[in-house]
Amino acid sequence: MEIKKEEAVFLLKKMMQIRQFEDKIWELLSKNIAQGGSHLYAGEEAVAVGAISVLNPDDYITSTHRGHGHAIAKAGKLPELMAEILGKATGVCKGKGGSLHLADLSQGNLGANGVVGGSLGIATGAGLSIKLRGTKQLVVCFFGDGATNQGIFHESLNMAAKWSLPVVYLCENNLYGMSVSVKRASAVEDLTKKALAYDMPSENIDGMDILAVRKTVRKWVDFARDGKGPSFIVCDSYRYYGHSRSDAKVYRTREEEKFWKGRDPIILFGKKLIEENILQEEEIKGLESEVFDEIEQATKFAMESPLPKPEALYEDLYV
Amino acid sequence: MEIKKEEAVFLLKKMMQIRQFEDKIWELLSKNIAQGGSHLYAGEEAVAVGAISVLNPDDYITSTHRGHGHAIAKAGKLPELMAEILGKATGVCKGKGGSLHLADLSQGNLGANGVVGGSLGIATGAGLSIKLRGTKQLVVCFFGDGATNQGIFHESLNMAAKWSLPVVYLCENNLYGMSVSVKRASAVEDLTKKALAYDMPSENIDGMDILAVRKTVRKWVDFARDGKGPSFIVCDSYRYYGHSRSDAKVYRTREEEKFWKGRDPIILFGKKLIEENILQEEEIKGLESEVFDEIEQATKFAMESPLPKPEALYEDLYV
Amino acid sequence: MREITYRQALNEALVEEMERDERVFLMGEDVGPYGGAYGVSKGLIEKFGEERVRDTAISEAAIIGAGLGAAMTGMRPIVEIMYIDFIGICMGQINNQVAKVRYMFGGKTKVPLVIRTEGGTGRTLGAHHSQSLESWFIHIPGIKVVMPATPYDAKGLLKTSIRDDNPILFIEHKMLYNRKGEVPESEYLVPVGEAEVKREGSGVTLITYSQMLFYCLEAAEELEKQGISVEIIDLRTLLPLDIQTIVESVKKTNRAIIVEEDCKTGGTGAEIGMQIMENAFDHLDAPIKRVAGADVPMPKSPNLEKLAIPSKEDIIKAVKEILGK
Amino acid sequence: MREITYRQALNEALVEEMERDERVFLMGEDVGPYGGAYGVSKGLIEKFGEERVRDTAISEAAIIGAGLGAAMTGMRPIVEIMYIDFIGICMGQINNQVAKVRYMFGGKTKVPLVIRTEGGTGRTLGAHHSQSLESWFIHIPGIKVVMPATPYDAKGLLKTSIRDDNPILFIEHKMLYNRKGEVPESEYLVPVGEAEVKREGSGVTLITYSQMLFYCLEAAEELEKQGISVEIIDLRTLLPLDIQTIVESVKKTNRAIIVEEDCKTGGTGAEIGMQIMENAFDHLDAPIKRVAGADVPMPKSPNLEKLAIPSKEDIIKAVKEILGK
Ligand SMILES: Cc1ncc(C[n+]2csc(CCOP(=O)(O)OP(=O)(O)O)c2C)c(N)n1
Ligand SMILES: Cc1ncc(C[n+]2csc(CCOP(=O)(O)OP(=O)(O)O)c2C)c(N)n1
Ligand SMILES: [Mg+2]
Ligand SMILES: [Mg+2]
């Protein structure tokens, strides 16, 4: 395994941050401390962390309704993200966005999106902007399997391919769009076929294996940076929680859940690091408790933060 | 050539009707007798006539902004169609639709559409309706190359493929969407590739050869009627006139126009019929002048027809 | 009379109409085994099977387009757009196709299509899941817009909408699904296009619909204690607007306030207010008022979300202002 | 002063702003060699090249989305939707993304995006090429809506819109492209958000915009001959609405008529009328009137098309009615 200890620690810790962050949000939702919808990313950590870890800080990402993981991976600060989810004035969007709209423009995160497929056009336009400005940046555009059935997905891929824009379209295939399986929603189960309509190179990889994600994304990131245009990557993964709080998960079996949890990306990566003698069991435990403290602090910060002032209602609308 | 004389005459005459109809509309536009937009079908006759000639009367079609040809081929009556284009009360839509909205529900023509891609969903829904009602009908959905870049094209094909609906999606590839060539608009020049995203069978054929169109469409019509689902056919063709009256055609060369006019579907089919001794030169001339008379009569009817009464403004909105 | 929830009332309407007419079917995202995002179609797929209760891909434009094609060819589809917030994606299909085909084609087709959707604020879901976009649709001739507030009206109006030969946008409210109300066991219908006086009064007319009805009713209770009598009209249908019922009331009270949850500017209150002005100007003793949502995207924070829509207090304040108290 | 057409005026604005700021670029269907469906961008691709004048596929949603993404990352795109009739296809992108990102993200981004489009009736193009949909957009907080009538305003407002850091829907009118008017050679700007009194008068205020301005001016000429004095306000920007200019005029004339080309119900006149009522009720000597389009999809027939929108005669009639003459 060609990975330095420092990097391994970084990756593992990021994944742990996401996992524990999501578990905490779940807890806050259950206690009604967090209100509204939150679509949790637990189980899919290897995708966001793997993909974003090969980017430069000034590269862009666009995110989804299931965006906590992307935001954390893209240098998002846990306290401000947590505060945003609770709708607090200290949140990264001043409490106006919430879970579905985490964005941090200063970190190149062009935003989560409450609309499935809603970021596809934005990512494509950011790619066009890079091309016109002549920088060496690029965009990773995250979206779910369900989003590949939205018209704008197709319009965007066509535009990016035709104009050879530096965008990596990264599909997080977690088998379901809400309750409807890929099998029931899409005419093709192998989603890479959707790129054939645009002569766009595509690849399907194991989204539970962070090193596989990194390797593949790096390949297509280099491709884009070399001016060779966009690509389409499908990462197979699984969301551990239901689609949202009220989801009884009638559409999937407990066996299936067990199968995927048996391939947990954090455990898998941790095991590998131990096997290859890069990290020791204790170090991993240490990381976990470090992250635990970070999450506790973030939660404390978020919970103690004030709600926005009433005047904020009319602020930030127009420049 | 396996075609009976009666049938050959029918096909040839239909194509002539469309050609002369369109030439007449062009004349009426130039004289400002016809107002507004009319996108003329001249040059593409083999596609509409070939495809529709293999359908049953109770099969459906959906049409486009370039819809005169489809309407005529689908048993449309020339006088009522001409009257509609002139906005007359005797028109097939009582003068409310016009050139862009020719429809004749009683003949299974679910309508032309001023919106590119606007009929794709309707065709798909008609296919679903057939499936639910359990009849043996089917739908041929016409649209242009440009429409394949619209989101709803993709959503519709996915839906039809997933549900195995009896719809033949027929793309009239006349090389341009208004002024933008397929090459400049679409990431793939071979439009059949767009069906790969839906595992939908597809075929690219010569749309200037009416027999080729008939043969291929019949194959996929049978396929749909057998319950095997949708298909995607790309017919290469060419529009003789500009996109609309004001089009200076700066985006294409006179050589290209000459090349395609050298493959005129009516002349080609006529020649073949003479070669194979199915029709004589004189018979063809005779047909042409028969059609000439029909068009003159239709024009007279249309021009002499009254405009709708003012009360008509508020009629036909709600049931 | 028995009390059931708005959700159950809608569910009963779907079941009864699907049993009554086999041309009726339901199609949308997660309407099958999941039972719809807010549970309205629970149990339907078990009862009517996969052919008549169809889970679709996330393809709003094709859902509407396909609904239209089916409606034009002999079926009576009910299609669901999960949140009205997403309806922009299929606005082209609704505006240009669904609403216009009949007129454009000289009356030679009809479109018995119900588009069920859900709107409004109250769950701190932020700007993409909290909109009230009904006013776009009252500007689209060719469709009707129905927005029931009570379980009784929800059931009666959904049944009537399904039987209507015109396309209908049927907008439910996310905060009403759990609300209970009296609903008879036996069959009944509520006509589309008729408002109802939900509370009689003499001092001022509150014109409202959907969730805001309950805010108005609460405000009226409180005002009554203070000796102020309020009449409340629940529009139930926004297009066509039952201006007659409104005008009759305004002629009696001489004062009108429109209470609406949507953003004020360009909202439904503007049209209602203008129609009152056009039809009852001489009866007005004070300018018509609007108590409406703030002109901002819906913020996530629970306190800002509350501020962004009318409150009971806002209504009470407006009533007192219009009465000069 | 020299006279040029509305088309030329717009073209000059594009050229000047693209020369001034290299972040400005144009993207849309047939904007390149074809020069735009109505010829506004003729010559631009020759001047600025294919990178800055981009012909797109027929993909309205992606056009808007990509414009937004570029605007958020340092560019100043002008995107074109060929007819406003097609804007429903990208309504989701405009409403949920373009208009909302800044607010949702706590003010941490800005969207210097101009969406140019074209609307209105007059060419007997039927229901899919003749709509006036501006009222949908005044109901979308976060964007601005600009609708110039004269060549002077077209140029000055387009330049200002391009320099604005907010998203702007800029709606041209198909019947105005060939209309000439005075436009200075030297540079000038017209501020977004300011209405203008285009004709002073005393008896009644006509509030209008876009093509209807000229109908109002003609009606006023004729009314003057009959001794009736009419004041005409050209709104120029619909959102934000310059209610102050309107109210000042109404306080003077005590009568207001809104003349609008869009369908009456839920149209812009409703909002304008309500704001007048809210701000100048005590100054009104008569109910505010709307002279507006018919509530139908636009019929093809030339006679019905004319009937479906206000005529000079309709305006004259309304003025006389409001004056009790
Ligand atoms: C346009 C649109 N339609 C429907 C929804 C409701 N919705 C939210 S998430 C979701 C499923 C999305 O599936 P997928 O893209 O696979 O992402 P996942 O949730 O699996 O991560 C749906 C239907 C939405 N937010 N936007
Ligand atoms: C949604 C939409 N966008 C743009 C237009 C304007 N327009 C009318 S026809 C056309 C070109 C269509 O090209 P294609 O689909 O290839 O059909 P063709 O005209 O070549 O037959 C365009 C851009 C439209 N009518 N609808
Ligand atoms: Mg998914
Ligand atoms: Mg074409």
Side-chain angles (χ1 to χ4, degrees):
Chain A
M1 189 159 50
E2 292 201 7
I3 192 157
K4 292 203 195 92
K5 178 163 177 171
E6 195 188 5
E7 208 163 23
V9 167
F10 174 84
L11 297 174
L12 192 60
K13 197 173 159 190
K14 271 278 179 216
M15 290 203 287
M16 287 173 173
Q17 283 178 339
I18 297 174
R19 176 68 53 88
Q20 291 196 34
F21 188 93
E22 297 297 59
D23 288 345
K24 177 58 78 178
I25 299 287
W26 177 255
E27 184 192 321
L28 297 176
L29 283 167
S30 309
K31 291 180 181 162
N32 251 321
I33 292 170
Q35 296 170 329
S38 259
H39 303 297
L40 304 178
Y41 198 73
E44 308 187 25
E45 293 87 350
V47 182
V49 176
I52 292 172
S53 67
V54 305
L55 300 184
N56 296 336
D58 68 344
D59 288 333
Y60 300 113
I61 65 160
T62 63
S63 166
T64 69
H65 58 284
R66 196 177 300 290
H68 304 175
H70 312 130
I72 293 172
K74 189 72 177 149
K77 295 188 190 109
L78 301 177
E80 283 88 334
L81 293 175
M82 184 78 84
E84 185 58 40
I85 292 166
L86 298 193
K88 297 303 183 71
T90 54
V92 68
C93 303
K94 303 186 190 164
K96 283 180 172 157
S99 164
L100 285 162
H101 304 286
L102 293 180
D104 193 345
L105 280 290
S106 68
Q107 304 288 349
N109 180 353
L110 300 178
N113 212 304
V115 181
V116 170
S119 299
L120 270 290
I122 297 173
T124 307
L128 175 58
S129 166
I130 291 167
K131 199 176 179 211
L132 289 171
R133 288 185 284 109
T135 67
K136 275 281 170 198
Q137 297 163 281
L138 57 82
V139 189
V140 175
C141 173
F142 292 95
F143 51 91
D145 47 282
T148 66
N149 301 312
Q150 273 281 322
I152 197 169
F153 164 79
H154 295 275
E155 295 187 358
S156 299
L157 264 67
N158 182 60
M159 185 181 271
K162 182 71 251 171
W163 292 348
S164 205
L165 304 180
V167 185
V168 176
Y169 293 94
L170 197 156
C171 177
E172 306 181 315
N173 182 358
N174 58 11
L175 310 193
Y176 299 90
M178 206 157 152
S179 74
V180 185
S181 64
V182 171
K183 216 180 275 208
R184 294 180 66 227
S186 172
V188 292
E189 259 195 271
D190 172 1
L191 299 178
T192 62
K193 288 192 181 170
K194 303 209 181 191
L196 297 175
Y198 313 103
D199 270 352
M200 194 185 286
S202 71
E203 224 172 304
N204 189 181
I205 57 170
D206 179 4
M208 304 305 259
D209 177 353
I210 190 166
L211 297 175
V213 173
R214 272 165 65 88
K215 193 174 145 203
T216 304
V217 175
R218 184 178 279 127
K219 177 167 101 191
W220 295 111
V221 157
D222 290 345
F223 187 82
R225 250 194 256 286
D226 288 351
K228 292 183 187 149
S231 53
F232 181 55
I233 307 176
V234 179
C235 297
D236 295 338
S237 187
Y238 204 73
R239 64 166 152 75
Y240 287 180
Y241 288 102
H243 175 69
S244 62
R245 198 175 4 171
S246 55
D247 178 1
K249 297 183 285 179
V250 294
Y251 49 86
R252 69 188 203 189
T253 63
R254 297 305 84 92
E255 289 70 48
E256 185 183 278
E257 291 176 0
K258 218 173 133 191
F259 169 79
W260 283 92
K261 286 185 180 170
R263 310 195 52 248
D264 186 90
I266 301 175
I267 297 176
L268 235 62
F269 187 52
K271 268 205 190 130
K272 215 174 224 169
L273 292 173
I274 292 169
E275 270 168 25
E276 310 238 353
N277 240 326
I278 297 174
L279 277 186
Q280 307 301 318
E281 182 106 37
E282 282 77 64
E283 290 175 294
I284 294 181
K285 289 234 171 84
L287 280 177
E288 239 159 23
S289 74
E290 251 178 60
V291 170
F292 181 85
D293 292 343
E294 287 173 17
I295 298 290
E296 286 305 304
Q297 273 165 36
T299 310
K300 190 162 178 289
F301 172 83
M303 286 178 62
E304 289 175 356
S305 286
L307 287 168
K309 300 220 177 82
E311 309 87 83
L313 181 63
Y314 287 101
E315 289 166 2
D316 302 321
L317 186 54
Y318 293 99
V319 175
Chain B
M1 190 159 49
E2 293 201 6
I3 193 159
K4 291 202 196 93
K5 177 164 177 171
E6 195 188 5
E7 209 162 22
V9 166
F10 174 84
L11 296 174
L12 192 61
K13 196 173 159 189
K14 272 276 179 218
M15 290 202 287
M16 287 173 174
Q17 284 178 339
I18 296 174
R19 176 69 51 87
Q20 292 195 32
F21 188 92
E22 296 298 58
D23 289 345
K24 177 58 77 178
I25 298 287
W26 178 253
E27 184 193 320
L28 297 176
L29 283 168
S30 311
K31 293 181 180 161
N32 251 321
I33 293 170
Q35 296 170 327
S38 259
H39 303 297
L40 304 179
Y41 199 72
E44 309 187 24
E45 292 87 351
V47 181
V49 175
I52 292 171
S53 68
V54 306
L55 300 184
N56 297 335
D58 68 343
D59 289 331
Y60 299 114
I61 64 161
T62 63
S63 167
T64 69
H65 57 286
R66 195 175 301 290
H68 305 174
H70 312 130
I72 293 172
K74 188 71 178 154
K77 294 188 192 109
L78 301 176
E80 282 88 335
L81 293 175
M82 184 78 83
E84 186 58 39
I85 292 166
L86 298 193
K88 297 303 182 72
T90 54
V92 68
C93 304
K94 301 186 191 165
K96 285 181 171 158
S99 165
L100 285 163
H101 305 286
L102 293 179
D104 193 345
L105 281 289
S106 68
Q107 303 289 349
N109 180 354
L110 300 179
N113 212 305
V115 181
V116 170
S119 299
L120 269 292
I122 297 173
T124 307
L128 174 59
S129 165
I130 290 167
K131 199 175 180 213
L132 290 170
R133 287 185 285 109
T135 66
K136 275 281 170 196
Q137 297 162 280
L138 56 82
V139 189
V140 174
C141 173
F142 292 96
F143 52 89
D145 48 281
T148 66
N149 301 312
Q150 272 282 322
I152 197 169
F153 165 79
H154 295 275
E155 295 187 357
S156 299
L157 263 69
N158 182 60
M159 185 181 271
K162 182 70 250 173
W163 291 348
S164 205
L165 304 180
V167 185
V168 176
Y169 293 94
L170 196 157
C171 177
E172 306 180 315
N173 182 358
N174 58 10
L175 310 192
Y176 300 90
M178 207 157 152
S179 73
V180 184
S181 63
V182 171
K183 217 180 273 204
R184 293 180 66 226
S186 172
V188 292
E189 260 195 89
D190 173 2
L191 299 178
T192 61
K193 288 191 181 169
K194 303 209 181 191
L196 297 174
Y198 314 102
D199 271 352
M200 194 185 286
S202 71
E203 223 172 303
N204 188 180
I205 57 169
D206 180 3
M208 304 305 259
D209 177 353
I210 190 167
L211 297 176
V213 173
R214 274 164 64 88
K215 194 175 144 202
T216 305
V217 174
R218 184 178 280 126
K219 179 167 100 193
W220 295 111
V221 157
D222 289 346
F223 186 82
R225 250 194 256 286
D226 287 351
K228 293 183 186 149
S231 53
F232 181 53
I233 307 175
V234 180
C235 296
D236 296 338
S237 188
Y238 204 73
R239 63 166 152 75
Y240 287 179
Y241 289 102
H243 176 68
S244 61
R245 199 177 359 171
S246 54
D247 179 0
K249 297 183 284 179
V250 293
Y251 50 85
R252 68 187 203 189
T253 64
R254 298 305 83 90
E255 288 71 46
E256 185 182 278
E257 290 176 0
K258 218 173 131 190
F259 168 80
W260 283 92
K261 285 185 180 170
R263 311 194 53 247
D264 185 90
I266 301 175
I267 297 176
L268 235 63
F269 187 51
K271 267 205 190 132
K272 214 174 224 170
L273 292 174
I274 292 169
E275 270 168 26
E276 310 238 351
N277 241 324
I278 296 172
L279 277 187
Q280 307 301 317
E281 182 107 37
E282 282 75 66
E283 289 175 294
I284 292 181
K285 291 232 170 85
L287 280 177
E288 240 159 23
S289 74
E290 251 178 60
V291 169
F292 181 85
D293 292 343
E294 288 173 16
I295 299 290
E296 286 306 304
Q297 275 166 35
T299 311
K300 189 162 181 291
F301 172 82
M303 287 177 61
E304 290 174 357
S305 287
L307 288 167
K309 299 220 178 82
E311 308 88 84
L313 180 62
Y314 288 101
E315 289 166 2
D316 301 321
L317 186 54
Y318 293 99
V319 176
Chain C
M1 207 187 290
R2 70 172 180 153
E3 294 211 337
I4 61 173
T5 62
Y6 188 85
R7 173 187 293 110
Q8 280 172 286
L10 291 164
N11 183 276
E12 285 188 4
L14 291 174
V15 170
E16 288 176 19
E17 293 307 305
M18 287 183 74
E19 277 172 349
R20 185 179 166 271
D21 186 344
E22 62 176 23
R23 295 168 303 174
V24 177
F25 70 100
L26 179 68
M27 163 163 84
E29 294 157 21
D30 306 285
V31 298
Y34 197 93
Y38 284 95
V40 171
S41 52
K42 275 229 168 89
L44 261 67
I45 197 165
E46 290 79 5
K47 208 171 240 130
F48 299 105
E50 289 203 341
E51 285 295 302
R52 291 182 69 197
V53 181
R54 308 185 79 90
D55 268 337
T56 65
I58 308 173
S59 304
E60 281 79 6
I63 292 170
I64 299 291
L68 172 58
M72 290 171 74
T73 55
M75 299 299 290
R76 306 186 73 84
I78 305 164
V79 298
E80 183 173 319
I81 299 298
M82 197 184 286
Y83 284 76
I84 199 169
D85 305 73
F86 316 143
I87 211 157
I89 299 173
C90 47
M91 195 69 182
Q93 284 293 307
I94 296 175
N95 174 53
N96 278 331
Q97 313 300 337
V98 169
K100 292 189 174 42
V101 283
R102 177 172 169 78
Y103 187 85
M104 289 191 305
F105 298 166
K108 293 187 180 166
T109 187
K110 53 186 187 180
V111 181
L113 173 70
V114 176
I115 302 170
R116 277 187 53 236
T117 187
E118 168 279 346
T121 60
R123 299 190 61 235
T124 75
L125 295 171
H128 285 172
H129 292 74
S130 311
Q131 293 172 73
S132 298
L133 298 173
E134 52 272 16
S135 88
W136 289 354
F137 298 91
I138 64 173
H139 194 51
I140 303 182
I143 59 169
K144 299 181 180 180
V145 181
V146 173
M147 292 187 76
T150 65
Y152 181 92
D153 288 337
K155 179 169 179 185
L157 279 164
L158 183 52
K159 285 172 65 83
T160 322
S161 297
I162 294 168
R163 297 186 196 182
D164 199 309
D165 275 339
N166 298 291
I168 292 189
L169 181 67
F170 190 94
I171 309 176
E172 304 162 11
H173 196 294
K174 56 171 70 58
M175 299 308 281
L176 298 180
Y177 287 118
N178 288 328
R179 191 176 258 274
K180 284 192 167 185
E182 292 193 342
V183 175
E185 308 260 1
S186 55
E187 181 169 71
Y188 67 96
L189 297 169
V190 173
V192 170
E194 287 187 14
E196 189 176 59
V197 177
K198 294 269 172 168
R199 182 188 172 105
E200 297 204 11
S202 57
V204 53
T205 303
L206 299 187
I207 299 135
T208 193
Y209 57 93
S210 194
Q211 180 182 222
M212 285 295 124
L213 169 65
F214 300 102
Y215 286 46
C216 288
L217 286 168
E218 283 178 33
E221 290 281 321
E222 205 160 310
L223 285 162
E224 187 171 49
K225 289 180 203 141
Q226 303 177 29
I228 298 173
S229 167
V230 168
E231 177 141 316
I232 297 174
I233 294 177
D234 178 5
L235 294 173
R236 304 194 294 189
T237 298
L238 293 181
L239 186 72
L241 185 70
D242 181 0
I243 185 66
Q244 206 179 327
T245 298
I246 299 171
V247 166
E248 268 165 35
S249 174
V250 173
K251 285 187 177 167
K252 184 174 78 175
T253 64
N254 308 116
R255 287 174 172 82
I257 301 174
I258 301 137
V259 182
E260 53 181 318
E261 191 171 335
D262 63 346
C263 298
K264 186 181 206 166
T265 302
T268 54
E271 178 60 34
I272 297 162
M274 266 309 274
Q275 289 201 27
I276 296 173
M277 150 117 55
E278 288 164 343
N279 291 283
F281 185 74
D282 292 337
H283 297 274
L284 289 174
D285 286 348
I288 300 161
K289 273 184 177 291
R290 291 185 281 184
V291 180
D295 282 324
V296 294
M298 194 52 56
K300 152 71 190 178
S301 294
N303 64 327
L304 295 184
E305 186 189 43
K306 279 216 188 76
L307 271 179
I309 67 159
S311 63
K312 189 177 72 176
E313 291 69 34
D314 294 332
I315 300 168
I316 291 173
K317 187 162 160 266
V319 168
K320 290 185 174 172
E321 276 172 14
I322 209 171
L323 289 167
K325 295 200 175 167
Chain D
M1 206 185 293
R2 71 173 178 151
E3 295 212 336
I4 61 173
T5 61
Y6 188 86
R7 174 186 293 110
Q8 281 172 284
L10 291 164
N11 183 276
E12 285 187 3
L14 292 175
V15 169
E16 289 176 18
E17 293 306 304
M18 287 181 74
E19 277 172 349
R20 184 177 167 272
D21 186 343
E22 61 176 22
R23 295 168 303 173
V24 177
F25 72 99
L26 179 68
M27 162 163 83
E29 293 158 20
D30 306 284
V31 299
Y34 196 93
Y38 285 95
V40 171
S41 52
K42 274 229 168 89
L44 262 67
I45 197 165
E46 291 78 6
K47 209 170 238 131
F48 300 105
E50 288 202 342
E51 285 294 302
R52 291 181 69 197
V53 181
R54 308 185 79 89
D55 268 337
T56 65
I58 309 172
S59 304
E60 282 78 7
I63 292 170
I64 299 290
L68 172 58
M72 289 171 75
T73 56
M75 300 299 291
R76 305 186 73 83
I78 305 164
V79 297
E80 183 173 319
I81 299 299
M82 196 184 288
Y83 283 75
I84 200 169
D85 305 73
F86 315 144
I87 212 157
I89 299 173
C90 46
M91 194 69 182
Q93 285 293 307
I94 296 175
N95 175 54
N96 278 331
Q97 313 301 338
V98 169
K100 291 189 174 43
V101 283
R102 177 172 169 78
Y103 187 85
M104 289 191 306
F105 298 166
K108 294 188 182 164
T109 188
K110 52 186 188 180
V111 181
L113 172 70
V114 176
I115 302 170
R116 277 186 53 236
T117 188
E118 168 280 345
T121 61
R123 300 189 60 235
T124 74
L125 295 170
H128 285 172
H129 292 75
S130 311
Q131 292 172 72
S132 298
L133 297 174
E134 53 271 15
S135 88
W136 289 353
F137 299 91
I138 64 172
H139 194 51
I140 303 182
I143 59 169
K144 299 181 180 180
V145 181
V146 174
M147 291 187 75
T150 66
Y152 181 93
D153 288 338
K155 180 170 178 185
L157 279 165
L158 184 51
K159 285 171 67 81
T160 322
S161 297
I162 294 169
R163 297 186 197 182
D164 198 309
D165 275 340
N166 297 291
I168 291 189
L169 182 66
F170 190 94
I171 310 176
E172 304 161 11
H173 196 293
K174 56 171 68 58
M175 299 309 281
L176 298 180
Y177 287 117
N178 288 329
R179 191 177 257 274
K180 285 192 167 183
E182 292 193 341
V183 175
E185 306 259 4
S186 56
E187 181 169 70
Y188 67 96
L189 297 169
V190 174
V192 170
E194 287 186 14
E196 189 177 57
V197 176
K198 294 269 171 171
R199 181 188 172 105
E200 297 205 11
S202 57
V204 53
T205 303
L206 299 186
I207 299 136
T208 192
Y209 57 92
S210 194
Q211 180 183 224
M212 284 295 124
L213 169 65
F214 300 102
Y215 285 46
C216 288
L217 286 168
E218 282 179 33
E221 290 282 320
E222 204 159 311
L223 285 162
E224 187 171 51
K225 289 181 204 143
Q226 303 176 31
I228 298 173
S229 167
V230 168
E231 177 143 314
I232 297 174
I233 294 177
D234 178 6
L235 294 173
R236 304 193 296 188
T237 298
L238 293 181
L239 185 70
L241 186 69
D242 181 2
I243 184 67
Q244 208 179 326
T245 298
I246 299 171
V247 166
E248 268 165 36
S249 174
V250 173
K251 284 186 177 167
K252 184 174 77 173
T253 63
N254 308 117
R255 287 176 172 81
I257 300 174
I258 301 138
V259 182
E260 53 181 318
E261 190 172 335
D262 62 345
C263 297
K264 185 181 206 166
T265 302
T268 54
E271 179 59 34
I272 298 162
M274 265 310 273
Q275 289 201 26
I276 297 173
M277 151 117 55
E278 287 163 344
N279 290 285
F281 184 73
D282 292 338
H283 298 273
L284 289 174
D285 285 348
I288 301 160
K289 272 185 177 290
R290 292 185 281 184
V291 181
D295 283 325
V296 294
M298 194 53 56
K300 152 71 189 178
S301 294
N303 65 327
L304 295 185
E305 186 189 43
K306 280 216 188 76
L307 270 180
I309 66 160
S311 64
K312 189 177 70 173
E313 292 67 37
D314 294 333
I315 300 168
I316 291 172
K317 187 162 160 266
V319 168
K320 290 187 175 173
E321 275 173 14
I322 209 170
L323 290 166
K325 294 201 175 165

